[in-house]
Amino acid sequence: MAPQRFQEQFDHIQRSMPGVELATGPDDAAEFIYEKGVVLARDGEEARLVEDTVRAHFTTFAGLTADEVRRDSPETNRSGITRIRVGDPGEGGRRGDRAVAGALRALREAEGNARRRLVSRNHVVHIAVNACPGDEPVPVAYSAGPNPTVAESGYDADSAVGVLVIDTGLMNDYASYPAMTHVQGDTQIDECDANGVLRQYAGHGTFISGLVAAVAPNTNIVSRNTLNDAGAILESEFGDKLFEAVERDGWPPLISLSAGTSNGSTEGLLGLTAFMEALREQPRTLLVAAAGNNASATPFWPAAYADKPEYAQSVISVGALRSDGEFGACFSNHGPWVRVYAPGERLTGALTGFQTPVPYTYHHSTYDSCRHGFTYACTCQDPQHLGLLTGEYETTSGTPDQVQFEGFAQWSGTSFATPLVVAMIAAHMTAHKETDPRAARQQLLAANTEFAEVRGAVVPALIPPTWSPVPVVNIPPAV
C-alpha cells in the first residue's frame, strides 16, 4: 500500500489545532481541509440572510438541527467575515460534515439569484496539504554551501527593499547564518518536541527568508510567525492576521506568501476578501504567492487572484520548476492562473543546527514511483526514507529514518520557488533604482529571456543568476 500523504498531513494539521474539529472536502474528495460545524458569510445583511436561510432550511430537513444555527463571532470583524455555527463539530468523522454541506445547499437558490457566493466553508490555509512542501528537508553539509549561492551585490541600508515573509517565523539560530544578518521577525513556534527532535515543517519560514537573503542581499526581511507550527491557520483568522502583519510595520514593497488552499470556487477566499481589496489599493505593494503543490490545475488561493483582472497588478503566482529548470516539477500546480515559474526542486538553504546539530525524524515514507506519474527521479521517491506517520496507515518494517541538520537543508516546493521570485524582483528594484514593485515585476518579465515547459505549455521562467541546476535522472520504463 502506498503512503497516504493527504491523510497523514490531515492528522498533523488536526493535532496542531486542538479544540478545532476538521474535515476533508469537497464531498468525498480529499482536496482541502475545513472546520466542521461552521460556515462563513460577509458581515451585516448577508450574514443575517445566511443565518436565517440556514435555520429555515434545517427546520425543514430531517437530521439537521435548527437550534444549532447561531452567530459564532461579533457582528463586525476586521476581515469583514462572520462565523456562523451550523452544527455540532464533534459529530461525524473526517470525511465531510453534513451540517456544513446542508448550510451550503440552503444558500444555492439565493446565490444563484445574487450571481455570487454568499456562504463558504471555513478552510484551513496551509503549507502542507497533499504535498506542500513538495518533500521533507534533507541534510546538506555546511561546506557544500547554499544553492542559490549568496549574490555579491551587498547591502545598503538606504536603498534596501522591504520584504515581509508570512510564514512560520524564524528558528532560534537563524542569525548564525551570515547571509541572514538583515533578517528579523518572530520566532518559530515549537521548534522541537519534548525529546529535542525537530518538528515537521519547522524552519519553513527560515528557509524562505534565507533564499530571499541569498538572491537579494539588499533587502530588509521581516519574517512573521502568522502560521502555527504545522504551517496552518483557519481562513476566518487569516485575514485578520494579514492585516496585523502589514499594519505592524507598514505595507512593504513585497509580501512573500507560501501558503494557501483550493476551495472549489473561482471567486477566491471569502475570509480574504477585505485584505485583498485593501492590497489592491496599495500601489506600492506586490503579493508574491505560491501556486501550491497538488500537481493540479485547480485554482489555489490566494495565488490564483493573479488571474482575476481586478487583482492582476497586485498579485503574481509562482509555480515550481524541477531541479534542472527545464520542465515543471512533478508536484507543482499549473494552468493559466500560474503567471511565472522558478526553480523549486532540491534547493539548498538555511534551516537549523548551525550551532548544535538538530535531529529530525521523517514523517512521510517515499513512494516506489512518482505519485503524479512523472518518469524522472523526483522527490516523491528520492532520496528514499521511511516515515513515522505512514506507519499509521500501512504495515511497515523497520523504524522511521532519522537524520541530523547542521545548518543547511535541501528542500522542494512552490513554497521555495516563491521567495526566489520575490528576491529577483527586489534585486531588479535595487539594480534599476525602481521603487515600484509592480513596475519592477513588469519590467523583469518583459526583459526575461528564459522559458520552460510545463504540462506542454511554454511558460516564463525566472532563474536566479546564482542558482545552479541539479541534474535530473530519468527512470527507464519497467519492462
Side-chain angles (χ1 to χ4, degrees):
M1 180 178 177
Q4 303 296 299
R5 181 65 62 89
F6 183 87
Q7 300 303 331
E8 293 165 15
Q9 293 187 331
F10 177 95
D11 289 344
H12 181 57
I13 291 174
Q14 179 64 86
R15 292 185 189 112
S16 77
M17 293 184 167
V20 178
E21 295 297 324
L22 302 176
T24 63
D27 306 317
D28 290 331
E31 294 183 10
F32 52 72
I33 296 175
Y34 64 96
E35 182 183 12
K36 295 170 64 177
V38 171
V39 295
L40 304 181
R42 294 177 182 85
D43 291 344
E45 279 300 321
E46 287 193 15
R48 283 186 283 275
L49 171 66
V50 169
E51 186 179 3
D52 293 344
T53 303
V54 171
R55 186 178 292 111
H57 181 81
F58 281 17
T59 302
T60 304
F61 288 86
L64 297 172
T65 307
D67 291 343
E68 290 279 2
V69 181
R70 62 182 183 273
R71 299 289 180 95
D72 198 36
S73 67
E75 289 198 11
T76 58
N77 302 276
R78 182 70 175 89
S79 61
I81 295 300
T82 297
R83 287 168 50 94
I84 299 175
R85 173 80 172 262
V86 296
D88 181 356
E91 292 186 355
R94 66 172 60 184
R95 291 193 173 277
D97 179 33
R98 191 166 185 266
V100 170
L104 299 178
R105 189 177 303 113
L107 270 295
R108 285 177 183 171
E109 182 178 353
E111 289 182 325
N113 292 333
R115 296 187 177 182
R116 63 185 177 87
R117 189 177 40 160
L118 302 175
V119 65
S120 167
R121 296 175 178 87
N122 189 18
H123 302 88
V124 174
V125 178
H126 50 76
I127 64 172
V129 170
N130 277 355
C132 186
D135 63 354
E136 292 179 81
V138 176
V140 173
Y142 188 82
S143 59
N147 182 24
T149 59
V150 179
E152 297 179 356
S153 52
Y155 175 82
D156 173 54
D158 293 332
S159 63
V161 178
V163 176
L164 173 63
V165 175
I166 300 293
D167 210 86
T168 61
L170 297 165
M171 301 296 281
N172 70 87
D173 61 347
Y174 82 93
S176 298
Y177 179 38
M180 297 181 71
T181 300
H182 303 290
V183 178
Q184 58 181 315
D186 305 326
T187 56
Q188 164 88 39
I189 301 170
D190 295 332
E191 294 183 13
C192 298
D193 64 17
N195 298 315
V197 178
L198 189 68
R199 291 186 180 274
Q200 188 179 14
Y201 305 126
H204 191 264
T206 299
F207 197 87
I208 288 168
S209 299
L211 290 174
V212 176
V215 176
N218 194 38
T219 47
N220 287 322
I221 302 167
V222 176
S223 187
R224 296 295 177 205
N225 61 1
T226 306
L227 310 178
N228 69 15
D229 67 287
I233 189 171
L234 288 172
E235 178 183 344
S236 58
E237 301 172 0
F238 194 36
D240 286 338
K241 292 294 186 181
L242 287 172
F243 274 122
E244 287 179 16
V246 297
E247 291 171 352
R248 189 166 170 179
D249 300 303
W251 288 81
L254 294 163
I255 301 175
S256 181
L257 176 61
S258 293
T261 182
S262 60
N263 66 349
S265 170
T266 59
E267 294 186 36
L269 296 176
L270 206 59
L272 289 190
T273 301
F275 178 80
M276 295 305 298
E277 290 175 350
L279 170 67
R280 187 176 58 196
E281 301 307 314
Q282 295 290 331
R284 297 287 177 161
T285 298
L286 176 68
L287 172 64
V288 186
N293 301 327
N294 301 335
S296 170
T298 300
F300 187 82
W301 307 97
Y305 281 103
D307 197 40
K308 298 176 76 66
E310 63 269 37
Y311 295 109
Q313 295 303 310
S314 50
V315 183
I316 183 170
S317 47
V318 184
L321 299 177
R322 69 184 196 181
S323 63
D324 63 358
E326 294 293 328
F327 296 91
C330 71
F331 52 77
S332 182
N333 282 351
H334 53 91
W337 56 273
V338 182
R339 290 293 187 248
V340 70
Y341 291 77
E345 190 179 66
R346 307 190 195 282
L347 300 175
T348 300
L351 187 66
T352 192
F354 288 103
Q355 299 172 342
T356 304
V358 179
Y360 177 75
T361 300
Y362 283 100
H363 293 256
H364 305 294
S365 296
T366 45
Y367 291 71
D368 293 333
S369 60
C370 177
R371 65 187 183 277
H372 307 301
F374 282 64
T375 58
Y376 73 99
C378 62
T379 56
C380 295
Q381 54 196 309
D382 182 59
Q384 294 183 346
H385 46 252
L386 182 65
L388 182 69
L389 295 178
T390 301
E392 299 180 17
Y393 290 93
E394 63 173 278
T395 302
T396 59
S397 59
T399 57
D401 291 322
Q402 188 174 88
V403 295
Q404 285 201 117
F405 288 102
E406 300 181 13
F408 290 135
Q410 191 177 80
W411 216 347
S412 305
T414 60
S415 285
F416 311 127
T418 297
L420 297 191
V421 172
V422 169
M424 290 189 69
I425 295 171
H428 180 91
M429 293 174 69
T430 295
H432 297 273
K433 296 183 172 54
E434 176 60 71
T435 58
D436 182 349
R438 300 183 185 184
R441 181 265 305 269
Q442 299 283 54
Q443 294 162 10
L444 186 63
L445 289 175
N448 179 58
T449 58
E450 298 283 351
F451 295 88
E453 183 178 329
V454 176
R455 309 279 177 147
V458 176
V459 299
L462 291 180
I463 308 297
T466 61
W467 172 77
S468 297
V470 176
V472 165
V473 176
N474 290 310
I475 300 174
V479 178

